[in-house]
Amino acid sequence: MKKLEIIIKPEKLEDLKAVLESSEVNGLNIVNSMGYGNQKGIIKNYRGASYNVTLLPKIKVETVVPGLIDKVVDEINTGNFGDGKIFVYDVEDAVRIRTGEHGDKAL
């Protein structure tokens, strides 16, 4: 099992959900967050004054998928700068609290 932690722009959330649903991902967790990547924020203009916005709104989506994740990662990839990051972690075990099932059955 692999845990995917995907950090994206808020406007990309619906596209990401569509990809995950088509890949038969069973569940996900969504968290609002703030941050920046390589671009270190953006410059905005307001009433003629420029100012730096270093913390931008982001969405963190977490999900655990059984087996291979290459298909999911390839479908999420957009090729555009600033669209986010995908972090992949190994998951040793998952347990469904209600039934006590372990592993893929718990997903």
Side-chain angles (χ1 to χ4, degrees):
M1 291 182 296
K2 300 287 185 181
K3 176 183 178 184
L4 299 179
E5 187 174 284
I6 306 160
I7 300 174
I8 57 169
K9 295 177 182 179
E11 58 267 22
K12 298 289 185 179
L13 179 59
E14 291 304 318
D15 295 338
L16 176 62
K17 283 173 43 181
V19 168
L20 293 176
E21 287 172 5
S22 71
S23 299
E24 300 177 4
V25 170
N26 289 336
L28 53 91
N29 185 35
I30 299 172
V31 179
N32 288 314
S33 64
M34 301 285 285
Y36 65 87
N38 293 333
Q39 297 165 330
K40 308 286 189 256
I42 59 174
I43 297 174
K44 290 212 171 202
N45 291 312
Y46 181 72
R47 295 189 179 187
S50 295
Y51 60 97
N52 288 335
V53 178
T54 55
L55 292 176
L56 302 172
K58 303 288 182 184
I59 301 284
K60 181 167 72 169
V61 178
E62 298 176 339
T63 186
V64 177
V65 296
L68 299 173
I69 57 156
D70 294 337
K71 177 186 170 194
V72 176
V73 172
D74 288 343
E75 287 187 34
I76 295 171
N77 185 10
T78 63
N80 299 322
F81 287 108
D83 276 351
K85 299 269 190 285
I86 303 171
F87 300 97
V88 181
Y89 304 96
D90 287 322
V91 175
E92 187 174 319
D93 196 9
V95 179
R96 180 172 292 160
I97 295 172
R98 179 176 52 90
T99 61
E101 293 173 302
H102 285 262
D104 292 349
K105 293 179 183 178
L107 299 179

